[in-house]
Amino acid sequence: PIPWLGLEVAGVVTEVGLGVEHVSVGQRVLGMGQATFSSSTVADGRLLTPIPDGMSFEEAATIPLVFLTAWYALHDLAALKSGETILIHAAAGGVGMAAYQLATLHGATVYATASEPKWNKLREMGLEDGYIASSRDLAFGESFKGHTGGRGVDVVLNALAREFVDTSLSLLSEGGRFLEMGK
């Protein structure tokens, strides 16, 4: 087999196959495909959706994998429910920002870590300071444990390693779910 590069796609539809009715020639779309690191590609119409007005191709191309990863983690694996709490590590990164949006859509309360220079981004997203901690030291454990009144969180979406995993696990409430995104 010949290796190929690229999974995410953003571009303009030049042709449509039989039965494809939700996108049309000339329409701007985003989605998933194979060998998308090219000037043209073929994609399954079921994996494409229109690009919202005002969104650039560059912005659109960043959406599919981060949101699919976050959706799979929060919806399929964690079965996150309204009223639950979640700790999202690296919340200012691509998957973290997608997970924040989906968690709030689910009605969950979000706690987040990021490096301190990225905290303003978390604030812009809607997080208050009591829900933000550094991803560079273990103080988030005590901070969030205190903020939850000792209860901890229902879900941890992890992107950290070593002793950060232990601290994150110690934050899980009874029946909590730990989701690992590490390598």
Side-chain angles (χ1 to χ4, degrees), residues 31-174:
M32 303 287 290
Q34 288 186 358
T36 60
F37 196 66
S38 62
S39 59
S40 66
T41 190
V42 176
D44 184 326
R46 296 172 296 180
L47 302 178
L48 299 174
T49 192
I51 296 175
D53 292 338
M55 183 179 286
S56 71
F57 287 119
E58 292 82 5
E59 291 168 323
T62 69
I63 291 175
L65 285 177
V66 296
F67 275 91
L68 285 172
T69 300
W71 180 265
Y72 178 66
L74 274 56
H75 184 267
D76 294 357
L77 297 177
L80 185 67
K81 297 173 196 65
S82 180
E84 289 192 310
T85 54
I86 181 171
L87 167 56
I88 301 172
H89 285 302
V95 173
M97 288 192 291
Y100 171 79
Q101 292 175 59
L102 293 174
T104 56
L105 182 68
H106 277 81
T109 299
V110 177
Y111 291 87
T113 66
S115 63
E116 202 163 338
K118 297 178 181 177
W119 287 9
N120 279 337
K121 185 61 180 169
L122 298 179
R123 290 179 186 114
E124 289 172 15
M125 290 166 37
L127 283 159
E128 296 176 12
D129 284 346
Y131 297 84
I132 300 171
S134 177
S135 58
R136 301 297 188 250
D137 61 56
L138 301 175
F140 69 87
E142 287 301 317
S143 174
F144 294 156
K145 193 71 137 177
H147 200 267
T148 63
R151 183 186 175 282
V153 297
D154 299 299
V155 176
V156 172
L157 182 58
N158 188 53
L160 304 178
R162 296 177 302 282
E163 64 273 10
F164 292 89
V165 172
D166 295 334
T167 301
S168 298
L169 285 169
S170 75
L171 278 171
L172 283 176
S173 61
E174 187 173 331

